[in-house]
């Protein structure tokens, strides 16, 4: 009998230890914050960079005018030493990404870089008085402005072509 009682205490102690460890783990889990939604991306004011780019670039720098306030500018940069490269990033109302990219770099290389590997399709679209070619694949879909000399303009991102078209339609150079 003496041997059985010792084994029962050992099993009981093990179960109690596991229960205590489970309670401690549950308590720690409750203390750790759990936030499943994406972090809020801060809006940026790009007016100063836009003025600088428009003074420095050898081409008419484009930026959107008249987009609803639900479109949020999230990133901006102008690199004069890198082919007068202009970048303006936006978050769409449904959380997708759209960027405006312009540069005097070699057209094919710039498009490949700005679209992250997308390829031209046979689809062109008239937006306002300008013609844009659709690019698909890679990481982004894109619209590339046709008929420009000296620079290339690309509207690309994870957003739908409908959203990309809204951005392209809103672009103004002054």
């Amino acid at each position: 009998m003496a041997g059985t009682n010792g084994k029962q205490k050992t099993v009981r102690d093990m179960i109690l230890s596991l229960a205590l460890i489970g309670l401690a783990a549950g308590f720690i889990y409750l203390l750790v914050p759990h936030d499943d939604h994406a972090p809020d991306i801060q809006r940026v004011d790009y007016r100063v960079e836009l003025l600088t780019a428009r003074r420095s670039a050898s081409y008419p720098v484009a930026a959107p005018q008249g987009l609803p306030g639900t479109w949020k500018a999230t990133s901006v940069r102008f690199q004069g030493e890198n082919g007068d490269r202009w970048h303006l990033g936006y978050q769409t109302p449904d959380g997708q990404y759209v960027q405006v990219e312009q540069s005097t770099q070699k057209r094919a290389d710039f498009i490949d870089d700005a679209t992250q590997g997308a390829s031209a399709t046979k689809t062109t679209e008239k937006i306002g008085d300008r013609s844009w070619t659709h690019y698909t694949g890679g990481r982004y879909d894109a619209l590339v402005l046709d008929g420009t000399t000296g620079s290339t303009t690309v509207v690309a991102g994870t957003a739908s072509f409908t959203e990309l078209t809204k951005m392209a339609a809103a672009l103004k150079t002054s």
Side-chain angles (χ1 to χ4, degrees):
M1 285 292 242
T4 351
N5 194 14
K7 287 182 182 178
Q8 288 176 343
K9 281 185 177 180
T10 305
V11 171
R12 187 190 75 198
D13 289 346
M14 191 172 17
I15 292 172
L16 286 174
S17 295
L18 285 172
L20 285 173
I21 291 170
L23 284 172
F27 181 71
I28 291 170
Y29 176 81
L30 292 174
L31 290 178
V32 175
H34 302 290
D35 193 5
D36 293 338
H37 74 280
D40 188 30
I41 298 174
Q42 297 299 313
R43 184 180 301 267
V44 298
D45 184 357
Y46 60 87
R47 292 177 293 185
V48 172
E49 288 85 351
L50 178 59
L51 288 173
T52 301
R54 284 183 171 164
R55 285 187 196 128
S56 302
S58 59
Y59 57 86
V61 174
Q65 289 180 6
L67 283 176
T70 52
W71 285 68
K72 185 189 295 186
T74 59
S75 60
V76 61
R77 69 182 160 274
F78 176 72
Q79 297 169 313
E81 72 283 352
N82 189 14
D84 284 347
R85 188 164 182 159
W86 167 248
H87 161 87
L88 183 57
Y90 267 83
Q91 184 180 42
T92 66
D94 62 353
Q96 295 299 311
Y97 181 69
V98 174
Q99 66 182 11
V100 176
E101 297 277 340
Q102 289 183 284
S103 180
T104 58
Q105 290 175 300
K106 184 178 171 190
R107 185 175 176 89
D109 293 341
F110 176 68
I111 291 171
D112 186 58
D113 184 46
T115 65
Q116 298 197 11
S119 300
T121 67
K122 296 181 193 257
T123 305
T124 59
E125 182 175 352
K126 193 88 163 160
I127 303 171
D129 59 351
R130 301 177 290 188
S131 178
W132 297 76
T133 299
H134 286 227
Y135 279 66
T136 60
R139 184 171 175 204
Y140 295 151
D141 287 332
L143 296 170
V144 177
L145 182 59
D146 297 328
T148 58
T149 55
S151 69
T152 305
T153 302
V154 176
V155 175
T158 60
S160 67
F161 275 107
T162 302
E163 299 292 328
L164 296 176
T165 299
K166 286 179 187 174
M167 177 59 81
L171 291 180
K172 307 290 184 242
T173 56
S174 58

